[in-house]
Amino acid sequence: MQARLLPRKMRFAGRINGRDAPVSMSPDTRSRGVRMPRPARRAQLLEAAQEVFVESGYHSAVMDDIADRAGVSKPVLYQHFPGKLDLYLALFDQHAGELLDLIRAALASTTENKQRVAASIGAYFEFVGRDGAPFRLVFESDLINETAIRQRVDKMSQDSAEAIAEVIKEDTDLPDAEAHLLGMALSGMAQICARFWLVQGSSIPRDEAARLVATLSWRGLGGFPKIEREGSGSEPG
Amino acid sequence: MQARLLPRKMRFAGRINGRDAPVSMSPDTRSRGVRMPRPARRAQLLEAAQEVFVESGYHSAVMDDIADRAGVSKPVLYQHFPGKLDLYLALFDQHAGELLDLIRAALASTTENKQRVAASIGAYFEFVGRDGAPFRLVFESDLINETAIRQRVDKMSQDSAEAIAEVIKEDTDLPDAEAHLLGMALSGMAQICARFWLVQGSSIPRDEAARLVATLSWRGLGGFPKIEREGSGSEPG
DNA sequence: TTTGCACGCCGATCTTGACCTCCACGGGAA
DNA sequence: TTCCCGTGGAGGTCAAGATCGGCGTGCAAA
C-alpha cells in the first residue's frame, strides 16, 4: 500500500491544488478536507474501504484506517454509511453483482453448451484476476458467519450453480437435484481454480488455465492423453 | 443451542453425582467445579470450544461462553491454552490432520487410479458429514485472514491437491503445474460439493452424491448420458 | 453587498464488549 | 499436616465502533 509521507492533518491541511505544503494550525482554524459532492465522496469512501477490507478482512479492518485511507475523518464515513457492516455489504453487493453479470454474459455468449460451460469458467477467472481483488470480499469473506453475508453467498452460489445446471439439464437426462449438484461442482471448481491460479503467480497463462479446467469439466480426467504404464490399472478413456 | 436451566453457579455448584440440586452459597464457600485430571479437562474444554466455534465462528465466540459450555470458569481455559487463538489453532490442527489422514487412507486404499480419485472424493464427503461439523473450522473459518490459519489452510490445500496431482501424473503426460491445477480442481470441487450436499438436506444419498462427483471428475459432463436435442449443439462424448 | 442557510466537514470523546489476569480457596495425596 | 494442583469471583485494560457539538465555505436571496 502507498506509504503516507505526512500525518493526515499535516498532509491534508496543507494540500493545496494537489501539492503538499505543511501548514501550521491554530485551534480556531481546524484543518479542512476538500469538499466533494456527496456521490463523489461516497464512491471515494467505497474505494478506500475496499482496499482496507481486501487487505485486512472485515474483522481486522478498523474504521479509523478506512477514514485515513480516504483522507477524511471518521464522522464522514458515518454520514454515508450507517455502520461498518453497511459499508461492507455495499461493497459485497456491488462485486457479487458483477460476478453474476459476468456469468450470465458467458452463458448468453453462445448456444453451444460446451462453450457455455467453458465461458462460465472463464468468467470466474476473469473476476478473480481483476484489479482491486474484489474476489477476496466475495469468495474469501471472513464475515461468512454474519447472517446477511451468509444469505448473500448462498444465493449467489445457488444462482450460479442453477444457471450451469440448466445447461446440464439441456444436455443430459439427469434429475434436478443431480444436475444442481454438478452445477455446484463446476462453479465451485472454477472459483477455487481461479484463486489458486492467481496465488500461484500465474505460471500457466490465464486462458490456458481456464481451458484446462474447462476440459476437465467436459471430458474429465479420463479425457486427458494417457501414459501407458504397467500396473497403473487405468481404464481407457 | 441447549438452554441452561440454572445460572452457572447454581447449576454447577449443586451438581453432585450428575444430579442438579440448587445449593446456597456463602462467600467463604465458593462453588467448586468438579476436579478432573488435566488431560481430561483439556479434552472437555476442546469439545466445548468446538461447539461454540462451530456455532458462532471465531470472532463471535467469547471465552465466557466457552467456559460456560464447559462448566468451568475462565481462568481454567487459560490454564490449558495461552489464549483464544491457541485454543482455536489446537482444534484446527486436530481436524485438518483428520482430513489429511482420510485422504491419505483413500489414496492408499487401491492402486486403481480411477478408484483412488473416487475414494478421495468420498473422504471429503465423509469428513463433511461428521458429527460436530469440524468442517466448519477447516473449510469455513472466519479467521482465514490470520496468518497462522492462512498458512495452515494453504498447506492443507496444497498437500491434498499434490496427492491427487501424483495420481494425475501417473495417468497422463501433463506437466507438474497443470497436474497441480487439476489436483486443486478436484479437491476443491469435492469440498464444495460435500458442503452443498450437507446443506441441501441430503436429498441425494451421500454415497450416490460422492459417486456423481467422482463420475464428473473422471468422465466430465460429456460422460453423462445425453439427451438428443435439436439445436443443442453438443458434441458427442 | 450583505446575510442566511445548506451542506460537507472534523477534533474530541463516549461507550462497551471482551480478552486476559489477580488473588485466593479447597481437596486430595504424600 | 503440608503441599500441589485445579479451581473461581471479580475486575483491569484497552481497542474500536459510534456520536457529540461545532466549524467553514459557497451560493442564493434580499
Side-chain angles (χ1 to χ4, degrees), chain A residues 41-212:
Chain A
R41 178 65 83 193
R42 185 176 190 275
Q44 183 209 8
L45 295 175
L46 284 169
E47 185 175 348
Q50 177 170 335
E51 290 176 23
V52 176
F53 284 137
V54 159
E55 282 162 15
S56 308
Y58 178 87
H59 290 285
S60 298
V62 294
M63 295 295 266
D64 270 303
D65 287 348
I66 296 172
D68 284 349
R69 188 70 61 94
V72 299
S73 63
K74 274 200 307 193
V76 172
L77 284 174
Y78 290 93
Q79 283 187 328
H80 293 265
F81 302 94
K84 186 181 180 186
L85 177 60
D86 306 88
L87 181 52
Y88 189 87
L89 287 177
L91 282 166
F92 185 96
D93 288 341
Q94 175 188 328
H95 293 304
E98 287 165 5
L99 173 61
L100 283 177
D101 286 347
L102 282 175
I103 294 170
R104 289 190 186 108
L107 290 169
S109 67
T110 175
T111 55
E112 154 61 33
N113 280 340
K114 185 174 177 182
Q115 289 304 321
R116 290 173 85 195
V117 168
S120 299
I121 290 169
Y124 279 91
F125 274 79
E126 185 198 325
F127 182 71
V128 162
R130 281 188 169 179
D131 285 342
F135 79 92
R136 290 260 297 136
L137 304 181
V138 177
F139 296 144
E140 297 185 6
S141 181
D142 64 342
L143 201 53
I144 191 62
N145 290 307
E146 158 64 41
T147 302
I149 293 288
R150 167 72 73 182
Q151 286 172 339
R152 283 164 164 80
V153 168
D154 286 350
K155 184 177 190 312
M156 184 186 64
S157 296
Q158 293 286 359
D159 286 352
S160 58
E162 182 60 38
I164 297 178
E166 291 302 316
V167 173
I168 295 171
K169 284 190 285 187
E170 278 189 21
D171 253 29
T172 70
D173 59 358
L174 286 164
D176 278 358
E178 282 77 359
H180 210 78
L181 178 65
L182 296 186
M184 187 66 70
L186 294 183
S187 64
M189 181 173 69
Q191 175 210 135
I192 283 184
C193 286
R195 286 159 53 203
F196 174 73
W197 163 79
L198 188 74
V199 163
Q200 285 297 290
S202 314
S203 61
I204 308 175
R206 188 179 96 181
D207 287 348
E208 185 168 334
R211 192 176 54 75
L212 205 57

Side-chain angles (χ1 to χ4, degrees), chain B residues 13-182:
Chain B
R15 197 173 186 88
I16 307 294
N17 296 330
R19 295 166 57 196
D20 289 334
V23 167
S24 63
M25 289 180 292
S26 60
D28 59 347
T29 58
R30 292 192 191 185
S31 54
R32 272 296 145 181
V34 163
R35 190 186 174 99
M36 293 175 76
R38 197 175 172 84
R41 177 66 82 195
R42 184 176 190 277
Q44 182 208 11
L45 296 175
L46 283 168
E47 185 173 350
Q50 177 169 335
E51 290 176 25
V52 176
F53 283 138
V54 159
E55 283 161 15
S56 310
Y58 178 86
H59 290 283
S60 298
V62 293
M63 296 295 267
D64 269 306
D65 288 348
I66 295 173
D68 283 349
R69 188 68 62 96
V72 298
S73 65
K74 278 194 310 189
V76 173
L77 283 174
Y78 290 95
Q79 283 188 329
H80 293 265
F81 302 94
K84 186 182 180 185
L85 178 61
D86 306 88
L87 181 51
Y88 190 87
L89 287 176
L91 282 167
F92 185 95
D93 288 341
Q94 175 188 329
H95 293 305
E98 287 164 5
L99 173 62
L100 282 177
D101 286 346
L102 282 175
I103 294 168
R104 289 189 185 109
L107 289 169
S109 66
T110 175
T111 55
E112 155 61 31
N113 279 340
K114 185 175 177 181
Q115 290 304 322
R116 289 173 86 195
V117 169
S120 299
I121 291 169
Y124 279 91
F125 274 78
E126 186 199 324
F127 181 71
V128 161
R130 281 188 168 179
D131 286 342
F135 79 93
R136 290 261 295 137
L137 304 182
V138 177
F139 296 144
E140 297 185 7
S141 181
D142 64 342
L143 201 52
I144 190 62
N145 289 308
E146 156 66 40
T147 302
I149 294 287
R150 167 71 73 180
Q151 287 172 336
R152 283 164 164 78
V153 167
D154 286 349
K155 185 176 187 312
M156 185 186 63
S157 296
Q158 293 286 359
D159 286 351
S160 58
E162 183 58 40
I164 298 179
E166 290 303 316
V167 172
I168 294 171
K169 283 190 285 188
E170 279 189 18
D171 254 28
T172 70
D173 59 357
L174 286 165
D176 278 359
E178 282 78 358
H180 210 77
L181 180 66
L182 296 184

